[in-house]
Amino acid sequence: SPWLGDYSSLPRPDIGEVLSQAFYRVLFTETNTWVMDGPLWTMSIEFSSSIMLIIFCVSLKNKKIDPYIILFVFTLLSWGYYQFYFLCGSWLFLFEKKGYLHEVIPWKVFIPLSILAILYASQPIAKAAFVYNIFSFGERHFIEYGNPNIFCLVACDRTAFFHGFGALLILFLVNGSPFWKGYLNRFVFLGKISFPLYLLHQPLLFATAGIFIYVLKTTNSWPISMF
């Protein structure tokens, strides 16, 4: 990792860059323009998906245009990238609330679908190209977006396709299994703290790199034992 090279490899933004990163770039630009916490790349996806859902919720009250058509158009336009599965999760929630998903999935169906969900969520890029090519339409959107664009929508991505499909299938299976639904409800708190923990990954790696470099350059046994 370049973080283990020397201290000069670590980012040193000034306060103006920090403010620009925090209030604009993290939401509206591609990751290669960032110098701050790399895991923040998901913020543009969450932000754009939230805007789409807010528009959908507002249209539920207005109803000049069918709100479900609006949600469908957003889902179609984000095909194959993470926003797409964010919106698919919303569809899953709506179907469940309307009573369409109350049937319990039998074990003989649940087990093979669970294996498939884990396979997809584990991102088998080289192993499942045929299945991927069927659904990805050649890694293209139905509309070709400029790059960058305000919602950071990109062409259908192989990694996003596998991760998203696997995650959506897992949600569907849990919803159809009273046992897993009840069991996993005990761990909702993990979902609430998952993103803050995720954001700590890169700062911890930076800190570890700094400690590792210091340990390599010192003969004092105390910092080595602390490390």
Side-chain angles (χ1 to χ4, degrees):
S1 167
W3 296 328
L4 299 180
D6 58 75
Y7 287 108
S8 64
S9 67
L10 304 182
R12 288 188 172 89
D14 57 28
I15 186 62
E17 183 67 20
V18 169
L19 294 175
S20 172
Q21 296 278 330
F23 294 102
Y24 174 72
R25 293 192 185 184
V26 73
L27 299 177
F28 299 106
T29 60
E30 298 299 315
T31 57
N32 57 10
T33 67
W34 301 353
V35 297
M36 301 297 287
D37 198 347
L40 286 170
W41 71 271
T42 64
M43 288 297 292
S44 61
I45 295 166
E46 290 150 353
F47 177 75
S48 60
S49 302
S50 297
I51 293 296
M52 295 177 190
L53 290 179
I54 289 171
I55 294 172
F56 166 71
C57 292
V58 170
S59 67
L60 285 172
K61 294 183 177 181
N62 192 342
K63 293 189 177 179
K64 291 183 178 179
I65 303 176
D66 189 332
Y68 293 96
I69 291 179
I70 293 175
L71 186 59
F72 175 76
V73 169
F74 283 145
T75 307
L76 192 66
L77 294 179
S78 61
W79 171 264
Y81 198 53
Y82 290 111
Q83 288 97 329
F84 171 74
Y85 290 107
F86 195 109
L87 298 176
C88 284
S90 303
W91 282 108
L92 194 63
F93 172 79
L94 292 170
F95 290 153
E96 195 275 335
K97 286 299 181 183
K98 289 182 176 292
Y100 298 147
L101 302 176
H102 285 176
E103 294 293 328
V104 176
I105 301 173
W107 282 104
K108 62 182 179 181
V109 176
F110 184 88
I111 292 177
L113 285 182
S114 297
I115 295 172
L116 183 65
I118 294 172
L119 174 68
Y120 269 82
S122 65
Q123 189 190 337
I125 292 179
K127 301 293 185 180
F130 174 73
V131 177
Y132 170 79
N133 289 331
I134 291 176
F135 295 103
S136 68
F137 297 102
E139 297 191 24
R140 292 292 183 272
H141 269 292
F142 294 110
I143 293 178
E144 287 298 320
Y145 296 102
N147 191 14
N149 57 79
I150 192 169
F151 272 176
C152 295
L153 293 168
V154 300
C156 182
D157 176 86
R158 184 184 295 266
T159 301
F161 176 82
F162 279 125
H163 282 166
F165 182 79
L168 188 67
L169 188 54
I170 288 171
L171 289 176
F172 171 76
L173 291 170
V174 169
N175 186 75
S177 171
F179 169 77
W180 284 113
K181 198 173 184 180
Y183 180 75
L184 293 176
N185 277 340
R186 304 174 184 178
F187 302 97
V188 170
F189 73 96
L190 290 176
K192 294 181 178 180
I193 66 174
S194 61
F195 191 65
L197 291 179
Y198 175 65
L199 295 182
L200 287 174
H201 288 180
Q202 191 161 335
L204 286 176
L205 285 173
F206 280 135
T208 303
I211 294 171
F212 187 67
I213 292 168
Y214 178 77
V215 168
L216 289 178
K217 293 182 178 179
T218 183
T219 57
N220 190 335
S221 61
W222 181 83
I224 296 176
S225 62
M226 290 297 293
F227 177 72

